[in-house]
Amino acid sequence: RARAMDDLARHRATLGLARDARPTHGEVKAAFKRAARAAHPDAAGCAVKFREVVAARDALLGRGRSRDAAYARGGAAAAAA
């Protein structure tokens, strides 16, 4: 459990949120947009950093591997089902 809390704190820091914050869905989305804009490879960012930003957003919004697996199996329609 302590490791999970450390991971969430790291994810919040990646998005520029306070490490001990409990951000709302909207706050996570806004922080993701700011961080993604800066880290995106098309904007002179780094692909590795961008993937970290996406992973942080997904972890904080509760998007897990099950959704990713659904996309791999059959795309967005499979994930929505």
Side-chain angles (χ1 to χ4, degrees):
R1 179 162 170 116
R3 179 170 162 74
M5 296 302 279
D6 290 342
D7 286 344
L8 289 177
R10 182 176 46 84
H11 291 314
R12 286 189 292 264
T14 298
L15 294 182
L17 298 166
R19 291 180 66 88
D20 59 348
R22 295 189 53 90
T24 65
H25 183 87
E27 290 170 334
V28 171
K29 284 180 66 174
F32 168 74
K33 286 181 180 182
R34 283 190 303 270
R37 232 180 271 122
H40 198 280
D42 289 346
C46 172
V48 173
K49 178 65 176 167
F50 183 73
R51 284 192 296 271
E52 290 174 4
V53 168
V54 170
R57 178 211 49 199
D58 291 347
L60 292 173
L61 293 181
R63 298 177 179 171
R65 291 180 177 261
S66 60
R67 182 175 181 192
D68 294 340
Y71 274 105
R73 284 193 307 272

